[in-house]
Amino acid sequence: MKNITFMILLCLLLTSCSNYKELNEIGLITSLGIDIPKNQESGIRVTHQVINPSPLSNNTGNTSGLSLVNYTVEGDSLIDTYRKSSAIIPRESVVSHLSLVVISEEQAKKGIATLLDAFERGKQARSNIPVFIARGSTAEELLALIEPIESNPAKSIISTSENNKKMYGVAELVPMYEVIASLSSEGRDIMLTGISHTKKEIVDNQTENLEKIDPTVMQVDGIALFKKDRLVQWLDGPLARTAQLILSEAKSSTFPLPCEANTEKNNKQITLITRGNKTKLSTEVKNGEIILQVNMLLRSEISETTCNLNLKDSKTLEKFENIFVKEVTSQIKQVFEVTQKHGADVFGFGEKLSKSNPTYWKEHKNNWNQLFSNAALSINVKANIDNTGMRVNSYELK
């Protein structure tokens, strides 16, 4: 019995991780940028952003250098470029720490369906990483941008998008598996957040950018609308935000409104902040006509006003609620003008029809994009102003 116990303890002591590797033996790829190729007629150009652990370590005397290194390779497929990168990356590449994928606008216009299979098929791959579109530049250029506050481009893109989602509501971090699910399902197209930089030209010496008081930085830049797997149009500013409101994705946003109905906004206005919204979307077929129904409930509070009005009066608040409803309804109509013009069902009305009326969907799904473009629109917006902030009426100028 003692011999058996001894042998068990000995086996435990001799056991180790057979696939264990030191950090300085591997190259952790944290970001991928996908562009159209420059040096070959077909295929893709992929930037692999790899962690350089030396500047991150406090145990080494040499702390110079950047914590990230970009390696760009062209090939016929994503895995082809990944394998080819071994010619320039001095360590075994590992993608288990991949945090985002950026696809250039030019590549997105050509199509993205053929780029995504490896993210679900690979053993190391992760499909919960967010996907962004590089607007007005290449993905390679964006991943080369270093900012003073966030020196890691991937972290800067994600943090800026999360902050915008919380404060204004344009950005949405769409995971890879959701993109693939939308592309492989019927009756739904996708919207992806656009990212650009604030300057027309990025300097070659990125360390200079760290020393500027007005550096070039990442910015959320609209929403890319897709029809099937191709980018067809951008939504910007308030319309991009309203598109997220339609999907109930915008956590909070601002709506500056005129003091009186049917007047232009000027120095006299009131600003509302939304605090969550609920939108119900449905598709109905009545007498052969398709009706896209949008029912939205908005909760808001007054955050600023220059209107000389009595906010203690419930009728005043009711007036602004009506102005608010009119403004949101107008923006929803403008959003649908764009999406229906391009036949891009980014809100999934076809998918909802397939569930509510499967017989009709089976007969007409092959012609859905055309039916969606010609469908009637029914909008019902309800808005509540339930808070005036820390005071009711504004101070009076004496």
Side-chain angles (χ1 to χ4, degrees), residues 272-276 296-302 317 320-322 324-325 381-387:
L272 303 182
I273 292 180
T274 59
R275 295 185 291 105
M296 182 181 295
L297 175 62
L298 291 165
R299 295 175 58 233
S300 64
E301 64 182 46
I302 298 173
L317 296 180
F320 283 120
E321 287 174 349
N322 292 333
F324 189 20
V325 167
V381 178
K382 293 183 179 180
N384 295 323
I385 301 175
D386 52 20
N387 198 323

Side-chain angles (χ1 to χ4, degrees), residues 226-338:
F226 283 74
K227 182 178 180 180
K228 298 189 182 300
D229 74 323
R230 296 176 185 267
L231 192 161
V232 293
Q233 183 65 40
W234 289 93
L235 282 178
D236 293 299
L239 294 188
R241 176 273 318 278
T242 301
Q244 299 291 15
L245 282 175
I246 294 172
L247 289 174
S248 300
E249 296 291 354
K251 290 185 177 180
S252 182
S253 194
T254 57
F255 282 84
L257 303 172
C259 293
E260 298 293 339
N262 302 318
T263 60
E264 296 292 331
K265 291 193 289 286
N266 48 39
N267 292 333
K268 297 289 186 179
Q269 61 185 22
I270 188 170
T271 301
L272 303 182
I273 292 180
T274 59
R275 295 185 291 105
N277 76 292
K278 294 182 179 179
T279 306
K280 182 180 179 181
L281 305 177
S282 59
T283 311
E284 289 192 7
V285 181
K286 291 185 178 180
N287 300 321
E289 182 184 26
I290 296 175
I291 303 174
L292 311 177
Q293 295 187 329
V294 180
N295 295 288
M296 182 181 295
L297 175 62
L298 291 165
R299 295 175 58 233
S300 64
E301 64 182 46
I302 298 173
S303 64
E304 182 181 7
T305 180
T306 53
C307 300
N308 240 345
L309 298 170
N310 181 15
L311 298 179
K312 294 180 181 180
D313 188 350
S314 60
K315 291 184 178 179
T316 302
L317 296 180
E318 184 178 343
K319 181 187 76 171
F320 283 120
E321 287 174 349
N322 292 333
I323 295 175
F324 189 20
V325 167
K326 183 178 178 181
E327 175 64 23
V328 174
T329 301
S330 174
Q331 291 187 17
I332 291 174
K333 289 180 179 179
Q334 293 177 64
V335 170
F336 274 91
E337 284 178 7
V338 176

Side-chain angles (χ1 to χ4, degrees), residues 50 116 166 234 321 341 398:
V50 180
L116 311 180
K166 180 173 65 175
W234 289 93
E321 287 174 349
K341 175 183 176 181
K398 301 296 185 179

